[in-house]
Amino acid sequence: MISQLFILSSKGDRLVYRNFRGDGGDDVTDAFYRAVTSLPGDRAPVFMAREGRHFVHVRHGGLYVGVTTTADTSPFVLVEFLNRLVTLLREHCGTLSEKSVSVNVALVHELLGEMVDFGYIQTTATEVLRSATHGEPETTKAFSLLDLRSVGLFGAETQQSKVAPGSITNRPVLPPRGEQPARSELFVDVVERLTVVIAANGTPLKVDVQGEIRLKSFVPGGCELRMGLTEELSVGTEEQRGYGRLPLAAVAFHSSVDLEEFEQERVLRVTPGPGEVTLMRYQLAEDVPVPLPFRLLPSVEWDPAGRLRIHLKLRCDLPPKQGDPTLCPPSPPSSHAINVVLQLPLPREASSLAQELSSPEQTAELQGGGRCLRWAIPRCQGGAQLGAVFRVQLPPTPPLGLGPAALTFELPALTVSGLRLRCLRLSAPPGAPPAPPQRWVRHLTHSDSYVVRL
Amino acid sequence: MTDSKYFTTTKKGEIFELKAELNSDKKEKKKEAVKKVIASMTVGKDVSALFPDVVNCMQTDNLELKKLVYLYLMNYAKSQPDMAIMAVNTFVKDCEDPNPLIRALAVRTMGCIRVDKITEYLCEPLRKCLKDEDPYVRKTAAVCVAKLHDINAQLVEDQGFLDTLKDLISDSNPMVVANAVAALSEIAESHPSSNLLDLNPQSINKLLTALNECTEWGQIFILDCLANYMPKDDREAQSICERVTPRLSHANSAVVLSAVKVLMKFMEMLSKDLDYYGTLLKKLAPPLVTLLSAEPELQYVALRNINLIVQKRPEILKHEMKVFFVKYNDPIYVKLEKLDIMIRLASQANIAQVLAELKEYATEVDVDFVRKAVRAIGRCAIKVEQSAERCVSTLLDLIQTKVNYVVQEAIVVIKDIFRKYPNKYESVIATLCENLDSLDEPEARAAMIWIVGEYAERIDNADELLESFLEGFHDESTQVQLQLLTAIVKLFLKKPTETQELVQQVLSLATQDSDNPDLRDRGYIYWRLLSTDPVAAKEVVLAEKPLISEETDLIEPTLLDELICYIGTLASVYHKPPSAFVEGSRGVVHKSLPPRTGSSESAESPEAAPSAGQAAEQPAVIPAQGDLLGDLLNLDLGPPVSGPPLAASSVQMGAVDLLGGGLDSLMGDESEGLRSDVGGSPAMGGSGFTAPGPAAPAAMGAPLGSGLGDLFDLTGGVGTLSGSYVAPKTVWLPAMKAKGLEISGTFSRQVGSISMDLVLTNKALQVMSDFAIQFNRNSFGLAPAAPLQVHAPLAPNQSVEISLPLNTVGSVMKMDPLNNLQVAVKNNIDVFYFSTLYPLHILFVEDGKMERQMFLATWKDIPNENEAQFQIKDCSLNADAVSSKLQGSNIFTIAKRNVEGQDMLYQSLKLTNGIWVLAELRIQPSNPSFTLSLKCRAPEVSQYVYQAYDAILKN
């Protein structure tokens, strides 16, 4: 049960405050802000207990969105709710910022009144809220495709851009009442996260792929969406799943997804309302070999005086060409990785670094007071091999050993599992607008944790 | 429209301005004004002065405006209760509005106005709304009952709202059901005894139906309520489980965890033989694994829950070890929690994999994590016996890295491994000792000291090692000081001859120079133990320690069962029951798992036995060494209060028997020793707390060569001239151990006086001089009767024979073995210690012949359990020869009988301390084995008397 709910600006000003159960003073926000700011580090823990209250908060757009509870409530409920609240606020106010919240404060109150009653969460469904609220969203500024700040996939917090117009997703989902939507659009993201540990001898110790399909719709309700997935998909444990090329160990669907055709056709049917939903979460079975995107071939030479020569060869094993152009949408002609960063912890604090890199756009530097070597590669083509030589000066004590090296990267337009959207059809309800909605499908893989032991 | 229009400061003028706008005729203007008021209110400005004006706007058909006004009312009604009454009429009217949204809004808002007068008016509208035709109104009304109950519980009961609420559980709309369940659950919490949530199979069925249809949040209410239900048998439990299982694949992790909670609870009732049980186990793993893909904070919550689940039912996740491998970018709290779970899941099957991971972690950068990883290796060793050897070698590898904190942690865990597998991995001690200097953390130092003390007999230079720690004794932390004290006492008990000074030093440091009561008390206890009864000290200090087991870090089973009932809640994160942290918790209901039903309990396969059961059978927590001593304090070993009992407490060697035998000499010796004790520490004696003062150890390890022999006069018995048997000389102190001084010797008794016949040989290259000798306290008070007289300096390769007269008036302390004598010899080079066993017959006094009548009476008088029988083998003497041979060593034959061809000799002897020993020796002419029966009031001497018999007869 939620006792109080608040949204604070980054400076601790109260933007929204509701006391649902009439217990506790109104000074909780001050107590919370004091607690948050008195902690070292820039990220306070999600759960905090202060002055007999349990605070749970998330941070978005510089705002603190938090609740308090005194009862023994499920932390999952609270965090899920806060995340949902943030999504809803985005849908109703466009971006989430101090400005947009304070302008729409009446609407936010109205929403909260419907969402929570006496601390019991009632609903977080966009459609339901839509019918129960009457306030109109006020937008804070005109949309600009040139506004690069708001570029980004809504599904994953990455810097990937250029694939689809990003800022378009940062507007209220709900068109002003009584107006035809300016443009009906539909975004589907297939985002995969890759967790890999590669042993020193090059064999993968652990390969874990988690993915999700997200849908953000600006289409008025009533249209049925049919989404065809890769047909080789199979689900279940080893005994259950048969011979599919793309075995998934665990799948979870949103409750609105109709799975009637899933078994046979691998088609998800959903009738989306305006708003954002995660349609499907899945995990690739562990016993399936996944082509790993990167290999690292290091060679290290020690010198008793503490000089260390590290020669790193990074091979990008992405296929030079991927996919079938007949797919919808067609695969890009070649695959590549972007924003590749390799971090290599050093055994002792290094005092100096000399580097030989293969191209000027790459950079290398020491971080963490010399305890870590960071090599950044903005873009790496599939099939390419990059080399770099680093010379590091360390204190002349016997070293403990290097590594492990950690890689972060993004693979645009590619899913490592091979799961793709085969087709995306929207059947219009009777009397639908003549123009079919614009559909955007985006695939992306990013590294959650990609570790190469040395 | 400017962004800041709602956020202007509320000066008098602005309030006035708002007032005017609120009273405007234009609807739009009114609405904007109310919005401004709400904005001011939200940021915490006082706009209560506008109350009447805002309430005036209440009667509007604009829903948006109405909501804003209601919001204002909720906020200020409490501070302006009289004015709030003005609004009641509108509320009541709105509750009858044709628009269900308005009806619901009115009833919702009224419940939030916590003013008694208003709640009175609420009852009627609420009653109507609970039966409203629109589900939206009903669900709002259901929550309103909970609100009203919070304000005025009595009113709710009197008005019969609870019954109406119960009826709503059977409502056709799932959202109404969910809210009714939520409200009832909350109300039931404050009435633990009431039967509010009287769930029966029918209502459960309705809940399960509603579960499939309501929103995700409603599903959580229903699942949490289901978890409190107690199915009547395993079949019902199974059918509920079957209907809850689909929730496991819900996208909302809160729903998943609530479903897990229900399943974990009801599984308790299912028989493990059921196929369904196995199916359910398999279904639980994937959703738990999926929870780990959430953001780190939720991962942490999930891991805390999984930690509980794994302890309760390890079989669920036993194949999912890899999921818990640490990612380099996990936050530290996630990493530590994962490590914990990895160890809980570690088994023989996956231990190699786990160890390889842990070894990798031990080389990471984060110090806290590395430490925990090293500890984890130790815990693996303790948990999985087959892996112990591998773990130890991994730890040794890590020690070789010489990274300071890694080495220290490794030593701490190796100590634990020693406690689990004693006498198995001592070969690594040498490696550990190499790193002694790098230990700077108290825990590691204490662990290392413990190891040295525990294995003192295998570490040649244990005394040096411990002595090196002793130098900075007062700068050490208490942990180290305590451990050092114990270790040195252990060392002393194992190598008494060489470490007297050390033990004396540490005892005085602990008792005199320390302010820490723990340390002081422990010091006194050891001191008393050592000075009164070294055998007991040995038994206590060197007692066999119970083995530690990995169960020590498990959650206690009853708590675990309770926490399982709170899966998914804050309690499962804190691992504490809610009563421990929910402030002002309402009537706390103690939740517990359902009892297992079904008859197949006994047929459970052993490997599937619930871990809780196993944990219960295990010995609970191992007492630390401190606890052991704590227990001792509660025993009657505590110091006596006054003088005379002091003496009694010192006589531990079969004191009762000895005193019964009228042993004046022993008493005499004893009290003399004690007098010096008390005299040496008047302060302590006077205070009633008669802990041994510093004089006591001084007597046992005082500086040598101080002419101690002068203290005592020669007191020999007066008896016949007789040459008692003298054993050949043996080497007591090899030259290697004494920097070139070799001592060999034997004991003899002649003409009533005991002497120690020594040969000192100088095998060093330098001249030795200034010899002196001293004995430690011993069982019979043997002490040198004169100083050790070596007249000329002993040149290299020269020997000197000395006969050192002894008496038996020294301090008495029971030794083990009884005839053990610890000797210190000093010369100009050093002090050397050795111990030797003296044959008991040197203590047989010349007047040991008992009167026949006396013998018979005494023989009968001594209880039979004091009789000991021994066989003397391979002795070909006849009865007369035996008799005369024994007589030479003061064993007197009192009578001889021939029974059925056997000779029976009845003999008596008396020890220097007055103990009589009666003997019956049976000799069969054809048999070289004699049977010796000994009767004595102090039966512990019998064995040594037998040894004396044996030695005398065979030479």
Side-chain angles (χ1 to χ4, degrees):
Chain A
M1 271 164 303
I2 298 169
S3 288
Q4 286 128 340
L5 185 148
F6 53 83
I7 302 176
L8 302 186
S9 77
S10 54
K11 296 191 204 77
D13 299 329
R14 208 149 83 175
L15 302 179
V16 174
Y17 171 75
R18 285 295 283 265
N19 190 343
F20 288 111
R21 295 179 63 88
D23 56 348
D26 289 353
D27 55 347
V28 286
T29 53
D30 299 335
F32 168 79
Y33 191 71
R34 268 201 308 277
V36 163
T37 45
S38 66
L39 288 170
D42 57 341
R43 251 191 104 87
V46 170
F47 302 96
M48 286 189 295
R50 285 287 185 288
E51 296 162 28
R53 264 166 207 283
H54 302 275
F55 291 100
V56 185
H57 81 280
V58 294
R59 273 197 89 169
H60 280 279
L63 302 181
Y64 296 97
V65 184
V67 294
T68 72
T69 172
T70 47
D72 189 26
T73 316
S74 162
F76 274 99
V77 170
L78 299 175
V79 177
E80 282 274 356
F81 170 74
L82 288 175
N83 286 336
R84 218 59 73 79
L85 174 64
V86 168
T87 313
L88 282 168
L89 290 177
R90 284 221 182 96
E91 284 173 4
H92 283 84
C93 310
T95 54
L96 188 62
S97 68
E98 192 177 336
K99 215 181 245 179
S100 63
V101 170
S102 53
V103 167
N104 288 302
V105 73
L107 177 65
V108 174
H109 273 300
E110 210 186 345
L111 282 171
L112 288 175
E114 291 303 321
M115 287 166 74
V116 185
D117 191 8
F118 198 50
Y120 303 142
I121 301 166
Q122 299 294 305
T123 183
T124 48
T126 314
E127 273 299 81
V128 177
L129 289 172
R130 172 78 171 152
S131 64
T133 55
H134 300 85
E136 293 296 336
E138 288 176 32
T139 51
T140 45
K141 58 174 178 269
F143 298 113
S144 161
L145 280 172
L146 299 172
D147 186 356
L148 290 172
R149 267 194 317 151
S150 52
V151 164
L153 275 185
F154 57 85
E157 303 245 335
T158 66
Q159 293 108 48
Q160 203 236 344
S161 49
K162 288 149 205 150
V163 181
S167 62
I168 205 100
T169 58
N170 291 332
R171 64 175 151 108
V173 187
L174 305 170
R177 253 165 244 277
E179 287 174 33
Q180 274 298 320
R183 211 168 0 164
S184 75
E185 283 181 308
L186 192 76
F187 295 82
V188 179
D189 287 355
V190 183
V191 181
E192 289 191 346
R193 290 189 297 169
L194 187 60
T195 304
V196 174
V197 179
I198 299 174
N201 61 7
T203 51
L205 290 176
K206 170 180 172 173
V207 180
D208 182 24
V209 181
Q210 292 170 345
E212 57 186 30
I213 302 177
R214 289 178 171 232
L215 170 74
K216 186 163 188 171
S217 162
F218 293 90
V219 180
C223 310
E224 193 195 54
L225 184 66
R226 293 182 80 249
M227 195 182 291
L229 304 181
T230 314
E231 273 173 335
E232 290 93 340
L233 203 76
S234 62
V235 181
T237 55
E238 217 162 329
E239 310 91 65
Q240 294 162 357
R241 68 172 172 246
Y243 292 103
R245 267 205 299 126
L246 209 156
L248 303 182
V251 189
F253 296 101
H254 190 263
S255 50
S256 67
V257 179
D258 179 354
L259 296 173
E260 208 173 282
E261 289 176 61
F262 182 72
E263 272 308 309
Q264 294 300 318
E265 309 279 328
R266 300 296 178 215
V267 168
L268 305 179
R269 281 206 316 216
V270 62
T271 309
E276 185 182 329
V277 281
T278 300
L279 291 177
M280 172 174 164
R281 282 204 178 103
Y282 59 91
Q283 178 141 21
L284 202 65
E286 218 180 275
D287 48 339
V288 189
V290 169
L292 293 177
F294 284 102
R295 280 190 192 282
L296 184 68
L297 310 163
S299 74
V300 180
E301 285 166 31
W302 292 104
D303 177 327
R307 273 189 298 274
L308 180 61
R309 182 179 177 276
I310 309 168
H311 181 198
L312 296 179
K313 255 189 259 175
L314 185 68
R315 205 170 75 211
C316 182
D317 283 343
L318 291 173
K321 278 211 192 312
Q322 194 212 21
D324 181 345
T326 59
L327 286 179
C328 163
S331 300
S334 72
S335 52
H336 61 277
I338 58 170
N339 298 332
V340 184
V341 175
L342 185 144
Q343 280 181 305
L344 184 67
L346 299 172
R348 295 273 191 277
E349 271 144 41
S351 48
S352 71
L353 169 74
Q355 64 212 40
E356 290 168 28
L357 302 172
S358 57
S359 89
E361 58 181 5
Q362 299 175 19
T363 56
E365 59 184 346
L366 288 173
Q367 280 188 333
R371 286 301 299 268
C372 189
L373 176 68
R374 185 179 187 276
W375 178 23
I377 305 150
R379 186 184 165 93
C380 181
Q381 202 64 34
Q385 178 164 317
L386 305 175
V389 179
F390 302 99
R391 285 187 190 81
V392 184
Q393 180 64 46
L394 298 174
T397 40
L400 175 59
L402 274 176
L407 278 159
T408 57
F409 52 83
E410 288 161 35
L411 310 176
L414 182 110
T415 52
V416 277
S417 69
L419 184 105
R420 300 191 72 82
L421 240 54
R422 210 157 27 94
C423 60
L424 187 64
R425 278 194 203 99
L426 207 57
S427 61
Q438 187 79 36
R439 291 162 300 168
W440 300 91
V441 177
R442 303 178 286 191
H443 293 90
L444 173 78
T445 299
H446 64 106
S447 59
D448 186 29
S449 163
Y450 197 97
V451 175
V452 186
R453 290 179 179 159
L454 305 180
Chain B
M1 222 183 282
T2 64
D3 297 333
S4 56
K5 63 166 184 169
Y6 300 130
F7 293 91
T8 47
T9 50
T10 48
K11 290 175 203 137
K12 264 266 152 61
E14 276 156 314
I15 293 276
F16 187 77
E17 216 169 86
L18 279 172
K19 215 179 177 93
E21 284 177 41
L22 285 169
N23 290 317
S24 153
D25 294 336
K26 285 182 192 153
K27 271 188 189 168
E28 269 311 301
K29 203 158 194 184
K30 250 187 189 173
K31 197 161 99 183
E32 285 307 314
V34 176
K35 276 192 183 176
K36 279 186 207 166
V37 173
I38 296 293
S40 300
M41 187 185 86
T42 305
V43 295
K45 286 173 193 160
D46 185 11
V47 284
S48 58
L50 295 166
F51 201 92
D53 308 283
V54 177
V55 171
N56 272 340
C57 305
M58 202 168 158
Q59 294 196 34
T60 168
D61 43 3
N62 183 319
L63 202 54
E64 195 190 357
L65 180 56
K66 202 181 258 301
K67 279 187 182 175
L68 293 173
V69 175
Y70 279 7
L71 190 63
Y72 180 89
L73 271 175
M74 277 192 262
N75 213 18
Y76 284 114
K78 200 150 193 198
S79 56
Q80 315 239 353
D82 296 332
M83 288 213 262
I85 295 291
M86 291 168 19
V88 165
N89 270 336
T90 321
F91 277 128
V92 175
K93 211 178 106 208
D94 279 354
C95 286
E96 316 241 318
D97 196 278
N99 184 345
L101 287 179
I102 291 185
R103 293 202 296 276
L105 181 65
V107 89
R108 190 168 79 199
T109 312
M110 269 179 102
C112 292
I113 296 177
R114 304 170 72 89
V115 175
D116 284 341
K117 282 179 201 155
I118 295 211
T119 41
E120 283 166 29
Y121 289 99
L122 177 58
C123 292
E124 275 323 298
L126 178 58
R127 202 186 309 283
K128 268 184 214 153
C129 289
L130 279 168
K131 305 214 158 119
D132 200 286
E133 54 176 21
D134 192 291
Y136 183 77
V137 181
R138 289 203 301 276
K139 85 161 182 133
T140 313
V143 177
C144 193
V145 176
K147 291 179 188 168
L148 196 57
H149 186 270
D150 194 38
I151 302 166
N152 190 342
Q154 196 57 46
L155 184 71
V156 171
E157 280 167 46
D158 296 347
Q159 296 279 337
F161 285 138
L162 294 182
D163 293 325
T164 325
L165 199 54
K166 275 194 226 168
D167 294 342
L168 287 184
I169 291 190
S170 321
D171 199 280
S172 57
N173 182 291
M175 237 355 259
V176 180
V177 178
N179 274 2
V181 165
L184 277 174
S185 301
E186 192 185 338
I187 295 171
E189 249 176 59
S190 53
H191 296 278
S193 51
S194 76
N195 237 355
L196 269 183
L197 267 171
D198 180 23
L199 298 173
N200 50 49
Q202 288 77 42
S203 56
I204 287 293
N205 198 27
K206 278 172 191 147
L207 289 184
L208 287 169
T209 314
L211 184 63
N212 291 331
E213 295 163 11
C214 65
T215 67
E216 48 200 310
W217 311 106
Q219 291 180 14
I220 295 168
F221 295 140
I222 292 177
L223 286 170
D224 287 351
C225 174
L226 278 178
N228 290 331
Y229 175 64
M230 199 71 77
K232 63 179 190 305
D233 54 24
D234 50 345
R235 215 172 315 140
E236 192 186 1
Q238 179 175 344
S239 84
I240 294 175
C241 286
E242 279 166 1
R243 294 179 68 177
V244 167
T245 313
R247 300 296 119 211
L248 288 177
S249 55
H250 201 283
N252 185 328
S253 51
V255 176
V256 174
L257 261 191
S258 287
V260 168
K261 169 165 62 184
V262 174
L263 295 174
M264 279 298 283
K265 209 173 162 188
F266 289 3
M267 257 170 110
E268 195 71 8
M269 299 185 69
L270 299 178
S271 154
K272 297 192 171 186
D273 300 338
L274 279 180
D275 288 344
Y276 181 70
Y277 181 85
T279 322
L280 201 52
L281 278 185
K282 272 187 203 137
K283 281 189 178 158
L284 276 170
L288 290 175
V289 171
T290 313
L291 289 180
L292 295 182
S293 54
E295 46 265 58
E297 290 85 3
L298 283 183
Q299 266 185 54
Y300 176 73
V301 176
L303 286 167
R304 291 292 280 179
N305 278 293
I306 289 171
N307 201 332
L308 291 177
I309 292 170
V310 161
Q311 285 184 56
K312 181 77 190 158
R313 297 196 186 280
E315 59 271 35
I316 293 178
L317 288 165
K318 65 179 174 198
H319 298 304
E320 304 290 343
M321 176 61 95
K322 276 192 178 176
V323 181
F324 300 103
F325 285 176
V326 169
K327 296 179 194 170
Y328 82 99
N329 51 355
D330 280 335
I332 181 74
Y333 50 86
V334 169
K335 284 182 175 174
L336 297 181
E337 206 57 37
K338 278 186 174 173
L339 263 188
D340 212 44
I341 295 174
M342 276 170 72
I343 296 161
R344 297 208 194 287
L345 286 176
S347 66
Q348 206 185 340
N350 54 25
I351 192 73
Q353 212 183 4
V354 173
L355 270 184
E357 277 296 302
L358 292 176
K359 197 176 174 187
E360 280 294 332
Y361 302 161
T363 58
E364 282 207 15
V365 185
D366 188 321
V367 176
D368 281 344
F369 180 57
V370 170
R371 284 173 184 278
K372 182 107 187 209
V374 177
R375 292 220 172 189
I377 297 175
R379 278 172 68 189
C380 280
I382 289 164
K383 181 166 180 194
V384 186
E385 188 163 355
Q386 294 83 353
S387 74
E389 195 152 351
R390 240 178 168 146
C391 295
V392 171
S393 74
T394 308
L395 287 169
L396 283 181
D397 287 351
L398 289 173
I399 288 176
Q400 299 305 345
T401 62
K402 304 270 178 204
V403 177
N404 194 290
Y405 52 84
V406 173
V407 173
Q408 310 213 35
E409 284 300 325
I411 284 177
V412 172
V413 297
I414 286 179
K415 179 202 75 179
D416 288 342
I417 294 176
F418 282 165
R419 287 205 57 187
K420 169 79 178 175
Y421 310 105
N423 305 319
K424 221 169 155 191
Y425 299 109
E426 281 67 36
S427 50
V428 309
I429 290 176
T431 320
L432 302 187
C433 291
E434 286 166 19
N435 293 286
L436 214 57
D437 299 335
S438 62
L439 307 180
D440 52 12
E441 288 162 20
E443 204 182 351
R445 284 174 83 87
M448 190 64 217
I449 291 170
W450 183 88
I451 293 171
V452 174
E454 191 66 16
Y455 296 99
E457 68 271 31
R458 313 194 188 191
I459 306 173
D460 289 339
N461 59 345
D463 47 344
E464 286 168 31
L465 294 178
L466 291 177
E467 205 167 357
S468 69
F469 282 107
L470 207 54
E471 280 161 19
F473 189 75
H474 289 296
D475 303 328
E476 300 282 4
S477 73
T478 312
Q479 190 184 13
V480 180
Q481 289 177 334
L482 287 170
Q483 207 52 260
L484 193 53
L485 173 62
T486 305
I488 290 180
V489 171
K490 281 183 195 163
L491 173 71
F492 172 69
L493 289 169
K494 289 175 178 181
K495 300 182 176 175
T497 50
E498 303 151 43
T499 54
Q500 285 176 10
E501 249 175 294
L502 196 60
V503 80
Q504 191 188 339
Q505 207 181 339
V506 76
L507 285 174
S508 77
L509 279 171
T511 52
Q512 289 169 16
D513 303 341
S514 168
D515 299 332
N516 185 315
D518 287 348
L519 185 63
R520 226 165 39 206
D521 287 357
R522 194 187 281 198
Y524 280 135
I525 286 205
Y526 282 142
W527 202 322
R528 281 204 75 81
L529 266 175
L530 290 173
S531 58
T532 53
D533 191 348
V535 178
K538 215 162 188 172
E539 276 168 19
V540 170
V541 179
L542 303 182
E544 203 170 299
K545 281 164 275 298
L547 300 183
I548 58 171
S549 72
E550 63 110 9
E551 315 296 335
T552 45
D553 55 7
L554 291 179
I555 294 176
E556 191 219 336
T558 48
L559 176 62
L560 179 63
D561 282 357
E562 193 183 350
L563 289 177
I564 289 285
C565 301
Y566 290 107
I567 280 179
T569 69
L570 285 176
S572 66
V573 179
Y574 294 133
H575 287 187
K576 283 180 199 158
S579 51
F581 62 87
V582 175
E583 194 185 300
S585 52
R586 304 149 190 255
V588 175
V589 196
H590 199 75
K591 297 194 182 177
S592 61
L593 287 177
R596 187 170 287 265
T597 59
S599 55
S600 54
E601 176 70 1
S602 55
E604 263 175 25
S605 57
E607 85 275 0
S611 62
Q614 280 170 4
E617 284 156 24
Q618 294 279 351
V621 182
I622 310 304
Q625 263 171 318
D627 298 342
L628 208 64
L629 279 167
D631 288 342
L632 276 175
L633 273 171
N634 293 331
L635 294 178
D636 279 338
L637 284 175
V641 180
S642 56
L646 184 72
S649 81
S650 302
V651 186
Q652 292 281 324
M653 45 182 281
V656 182
D657 281 333
L658 290 172
L659 289 171
L663 306 176
D664 296 336
S665 64
L666 175 63
M667 282 307 290
D669 291 351
E670 211 28 63
S671 46
E672 187 160 280
L674 283 162
R675 233 172 288 129
S676 73
D677 277 5
V678 177
S681 58
M684 302 202 187
S687 69
F689 178 71
T690 49
M700 96 202 182
L704 299 165
S706 59
L708 193 98
D710 297 343
L711 280 173
F712 304 107
D713 285 335
L714 229 166
T715 56
V718 233
T720 53
L721 288 172
S722 69
S724 107
Y725 159 66
V726 179
K729 291 191 177 75
T730 52
V731 174
W732 287 341
L733 182 69
M736 275 162 59
K737 276 197 166 175
K739 304 190 177 163
L741 176 66
E742 186 183 273
I743 301 177
S744 56
T746 184
F747 293 91
S748 65
R749 182 178 186 98
Q750 268 162 347
V751 207
S753 65
I754 311 165
S755 59
M756 188 187 207
D757 300 327
L758 295 167
V759 177
L760 306 180
T761 309
N762 183 354
K763 294 196 170 174
L765 296 172
Q766 68 185 109
V767 175
M768 291 180 184
S769 61
D770 303 333
F771 286 94
I773 192 164
Q774 198 185 17
F775 294 176
N776 195 2
R777 296 168 151 207
N778 53 69
S779 311
F780 295 91
L782 278 176
L788 185 62
Q789 301 282 340
V790 182
H791 294 292
L794 199 56
N797 279 324
Q798 204 184 4
S799 294
V800 61
E801 271 191 57
I802 303 157
S803 182
L804 178 73
L806 304 180
N807 62 26
T808 55
V809 297
S811 303
V812 175
M813 179 168 79
K814 191 178 176 188
M815 302 294 287
D816 184 29
L818 205 62
N819 57 342
N820 189 14
L821 180 67
Q822 299 175 343
V823 184
V825 171
K826 191 203 113 176
N827 63 10
N828 58 334
I829 299 166
D830 205 346
V831 182
F832 312 106
Y833 304 92
F834 64 92
S835 68
T836 178
L837 299 176
Y838 49 89
L840 210 64
H841 69 260
I842 61 164
L843 302 169
F844 298 171
V845 294
E846 284 68 18
D847 58 346
K849 183 158 184 168
M850 207 179 236
E851 293 296 317
R852 285 181 86 140
Q853 294 302 320
M854 182 74 175
F855 183 92
L856 279 172
T858 317
W859 185 269
K860 281 183 191 156
D861 198 39
I862 297 176
N864 278 339
E865 57 265 31
N866 279 15
E867 182 173 340
Q869 260 199 4
F870 304 93
Q871 293 288 326
I872 300 171
K873 291 185 180 134
D874 303 325
C875 187
S876 54
L877 300 168
N878 65 26
D880 290 336
V882 167
S883 191
S884 71
K885 200 161 186 178
L886 289 174
Q887 177 121 19
S889 296
N890 294 342
I891 302 172
F892 303 97
T893 307
I894 295 160
K896 178 183 161 193
R897 245 193 274 169
N898 190 300
V899 185
E900 295 161 6
Q902 307 177 28
D903 281 323
M904 309 285 275
L905 296 177
Y906 295 93
Q907 301 172 316
S908 74
L909 60 95
K910 189 174 135 188
L911 300 178
T912 49
N913 59 4
I915 295 177
W916 284 95
V917 181
L918 311 185
E920 180 199 76
L921 190 60
R922 185 183 302 170
I923 304 168
Q924 290 170 293
S926 55
N927 188 342
S929 283
F930 301 170
T931 306
L932 177 68
S933 301
L934 294 172
K935 262 194 165 183
C936 177
R937 285 207 159 83
E940 56 264 59
V941 303
S942 299
Q943 192 196 344
Y944 304 96
V945 173
Y946 153 71
Q947 284 169 5
Y949 262 86
D950 196 63
I952 297 165
L953 289 175
K954 287 184 184 163
N955 291 285

